[in-house]
Amino acid sequence: MIGKKNIVFGFIYLALTAALGGVMILGYFDERRATGNVMQEKMSILQQIVFDNYESNLEPLKPMDLAKANTEAILAFSMRNNAQKPINSIRSGPHTHGTAEGLLNIAVGIVLIFLAVPVWFKQVISWMFITGTVLHSGMLTLVMVLGQSWASVMLNGPPGAIGRGLILLGLVLTGIAAAIGLRRTPVTG
C-alpha cells in the first residue's frame, strides 16, 4: 500500500518534532527567567517614580537619576528580549516546520492510498515528501537545536533548496495525480 510509509514516517516525525519542541527550549528558560526578574525590578522602579510624581524623599527627582533609571529599565527590557530570541527561533524554525511537514506526510500518505495512478508515480511522490522533509526541517533541527554549522551550510545551499523544492514539487504532483485518479475507495497495488 503506497502511502503507508508516509503515514508511518509522518506520525513518527510529528511525535519527534512535537516532543523536541519542548525539550529544545528547556535550556533557555533559566536565562529568560533571570532577565525577566531583572526587567521587572527595573520597571518597578520606574513605576514607583511615576507613582511618586517624580519625587524622591519629597524632593523633585534629578534628571540624571531619572535618566539612569530609564536607561537601566530599557537595557533590562532589551536583555529579556534577547533571552527570548532563541526560544522564538526554535519555535518558528525546526519545531513548526517539522510538525507541519510531519502532518503533510500523513495527509499525502492518505491521499496516495486513494489514487489510481501508476505505481511509479505514487512512489515518486511518496519519496519526494520524505526526502524533502529530511532535507528541510531535518536540517533546521540540526542547525537550530544541535548547533551543527555544516548543516547550516547545507540548509542554505543546494541540499536545503532541494528539500524545499521536493516538497513543493511533491505538492504539485499530488495535485496532478489527484486530478487524474482520485477514487472514493482505497486503491490496492
Side-chain angles (χ1 to χ4, degrees), residues 35-69:
T35 58
N37 291 340
V38 171
M39 180 190 78
Q40 185 59 42
E41 175 189 328
K42 300 300 181 183
M43 291 296 201
S44 294
I45 292 169
L46 275 182
Q47 288 173 335
Q48 190 62 46
I49 289 171
V50 171
F51 182 74
D52 291 342
N53 202 24
Y54 299 94
E55 293 179 349
S56 177
N57 298 325
L58 300 175
E59 294 288 325
L61 194 64
K62 295 177 185 169
M64 183 57 83
D65 292 337
L66 179 59
K68 285 180 182 178

Side-chain angles (χ1 to χ4, degrees), residues 53-101:
N53 202 24
Y54 299 94
E55 293 179 349
S56 177
N57 298 325
L58 300 175
E59 294 288 325
L61 194 64
K62 295 177 185 169
M64 183 57 83
D65 292 337
L66 179 59
K68 285 180 182 178
N70 195 31
T71 301
E72 289 175 2
I74 291 170
L75 290 174
F77 185 75
S78 177
M79 286 173 47
R80 166 61 169 75
N81 282 346
N82 289 339
Q84 180 67 34
K85 281 182 184 178
I87 296 170
N88 293 345
S89 179
I90 289 170
R91 285 181 180 159
S92 65
H95 175 63
T96 303
H97 284 86
T99 303
E101 290 170 12

Side-chain angles (χ1 to χ4, degrees), residues 90-134:
I90 289 170
R91 285 181 180 159
S92 65
H95 175 63
T96 303
H97 284 86
T99 303
E101 290 170 12
L103 289 170
L104 190 57
N105 269 280
I106 294 167
V108 166
I110 292 169
V111 169
L112 287 173
I113 292 171
F114 290 91
L115 291 179
V117 295
V119 172
W120 66 267
F121 193 34
K122 290 167 73 168
Q123 287 286 8
V124 166
I125 292 170
S126 175
W127 284 109
M128 277 185 162
F129 278 97
I130 292 172
T131 306
T133 297
V134 171

Side-chain angles (χ1 to χ4, degrees), residues 12-26 95 99:
I12 292 170
Y13 201 76
L14 176 63
L16 181 67
T17 56
L20 275 177
V23 173
M24 289 186 277
I25 60 176
L26 284 178
H95 175 63
T99 303

Side-chain angles (χ1 to χ4, degrees), residues 164-186:
R164 293 184 297 272
L166 285 173
I167 292 171
L168 292 173
L169 182 59
L171 285 168
V172 170
L173 292 178
T174 303
I176 292 169
I180 294 170
L182 189 59
R183 301 289 181 254
R184 290 179 190 249
T185 59

